Amino acid sequence: MGRRTRISWTLYDWGNSAFATTVMAGFFPVFFKEYWAGELSATDSTFWLGVGNSAASTLMVLFAPLIGALADQGNSKKRYLLLFAFLGALMTSSLFLVASGMWQIALLFYALGIIGFSGSIVPYDALLVDVAEEDELDKVSAQGYAMGYLGGGLLFALNVFMVLKPGFFGLADAGQAVRVSFFMVGIWWALFSLPVMLFVHERNPRPANSHVLRGALREIRDNFREVGRYRMVALFLLAYWLYIDGVDTIVRMAVDYGLAIGFESSDLLTALLITQFVGFPAALLFGYIGDRHGPKKGIMIALIVYIIIVFWAWRMEAMWEFYALAVGIGLVQGGIQSLSRSLYARLIPTTRAGMFFGVYNMLGKFAAVIGPLLVGAVTVISGDSRLGILSVLLLFVAGFAVLQRVTVVSNGELK
């Protein structure tokens, strides 16, 4: 496929990553607690934020395999990508209109934005085989990730500057800057979805039939039965689901936690920028660790770091500690994702890699179901935000314990 096609595909990652950085990890937790849910207690707002994240993630866990199977029917990958992309972009831009105190509406729009974001990733990943030849898959896939880091990071940096210096942009205050940022993310996301629509074309689509839904459901059932035949694959997927849920929970709830223990929102957003730009080179570092010592050992090192981070977060008092934790998270966040994928590739039969990675992506991209709900529930029950963040430790410890039982075998060997 041509260079224009590949660039058009990667530009979608450039566009949608702004939602993950500016909205999901950055501004929404701050604005929800301080503006929309300002009349709620800190523990109640944390609980409802956790409920919103978990509800949206649960829906995507249930429906992601169906979205993928439906997108495979006929010439439908682009159609489903654009459907979910524009849903997410519309809901994100609509946050600009939500007035103070209307936390239920804000949470609904946010949850629908997550559904749009997560739902679009399923056909987006599937389009990789349509935009790259077999010997280009690794390179083009990496270009997509790189564009996501860069695009999301650059817009987030601009949005943070707007919040810190609203007068420079002719805005009344930081609150107006945040609302404008939500609108900008929606426009940015929609704008960079257009190249996919215009210049990416599917190759050799599977023909649709009159029983599309029934066929998709049957395919999902058969795929999960196949995964269950491989004990080490099933064990790894369980471990991965547990610890990646913890990773995503830290991303989504860190700012809310920082606010709950008294840190300033401007400092927290700066810390998020640090995490964003440390993450990319860290993935390269962990790739070196995986080459020298094996991916399983690298993942276990990252999990130990995460366990230390959670303990430290539980006891921290000063803002410099939050900055240090931001660096620590950035160092392991990219690495644990990179090595998880390479370890999984060693466990699965290469002849069925597409199907097996479909299940892997479902668990990875639609995690953060248990974690946010766990944090919110423990915070409300105990009345202590510190105990809420400490509860994430259960996910990392459980994931570590299950991962220890995974034995790396040659591709395709049943064990």
Side-chain angles (χ1 to χ4, degrees), residues 24 94 124 192 272 289 330 371 415:
M24 202 154 52
S94 297
Y124 172 71
F192 287 105
L272 277 180
I289 293 174
K415 189 169 181 179

Side-chain angles (χ1 to χ4, degrees), residues 22 67 88 101 152 158 247 377 389:
T22 294
I67 294 168
L158 173 61
V247 170
I389 203 68

Side-chain angles (χ1 to χ4, degrees), residues 120-140:
S120 69
I121 293 294
V122 179
Y124 172 71
D125 283 349
L127 277 171
L128 176 60
V129 298
D130 295 298
V131 302
E133 302 298 338
E134 185 174 352
D135 60 349
E136 300 173 320
L137 291 174
D138 294 335
K139 180 178 69 175
V140 175

